[in-house]
Every structure is written in C-alpha cells, then in structure tokens.
C-alpha cells in the first residue's frame, strides 16, 4: 500500500505542467518529497518498535498518508 501511495505522488510530479518550475526542479522536489516520506515512515516504525504506537497504526499510517497525499496532489494538478 505504501508503494501505491508513492506511485500516486510520483504521478502528480510527473504530470506537472512545468509552466512555473524547471523540470529539474520538479524532479528535485519529487525526490525530496519521497525522502521525507521515507524518513517519516522510519520514524513511525521506530516509535512502534519502542512501544509508543500501536502496531496497526505503525503498519497503516504511512501508507494511508501516502495514498491520501498522492491522491490529493494528483487531483489538484488535474483540476487546477
């Protein structure tokens, strides 16, 4: 499920019209977004390993966030 969310986020950056930003800048922002999501996912996993979060939240929170953020970004880029 996490990879599906990351694919949605990548599609939002790939379908960027490129009017305002240079394509290299769009790729850099996309890569930075993926890195931030990876770090947040690792942080949530560490909290779960320490017993601070329930296992169901540790398993589904990063994937759900990626899916919702990717869908929102894709819909925003398509609808303007």
């Amino acid at each position: 499920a996490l990879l599906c969310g990351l694919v949605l986020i990548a599609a939002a950056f790939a379908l960027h019209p490129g009017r305002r930003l240079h394509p290299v800048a769009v790729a850099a922002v996309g890569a930075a977004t993926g890195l931030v999501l990876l770090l947040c996912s690792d942080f949530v996993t560490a909290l779960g390993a320490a017993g601070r979060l329930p296992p169901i939240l540790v398993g589904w929170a990063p994937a759900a966030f990626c899916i919702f953020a990717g869908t929102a970004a894709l819909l925003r880029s398509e609808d303007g």
Side-chain angles (χ1 to χ4, degrees):
L2 182 63
L3 292 178
C4 293
L6 290 175
V7 166
L8 288 172
I9 291 172
F13 282 104
L15 296 176
H16 188 269
R19 290 181 224 141
R20 288 173 270 164
L21 292 176
H22 193 271
V24 174
V26 173
V29 171
T33 303
L35 180 64
V36 167
L37 290 173
L38 175 69
L39 292 175
C40 289
S41 176
D42 287 345
F43 180 69
V44 170
T45 302
L47 286 176
R52 300 273 184 195
L53 291 177
I56 191 79
L57 186 64
V58 172
W60 283 103
F65 178 76
C66 283
I67 289 173
F68 291 138
T71 302
L74 192 58
L75 288 175
R76 184 178 179 274
S77 70
E78 288 294 321
D79 289 337

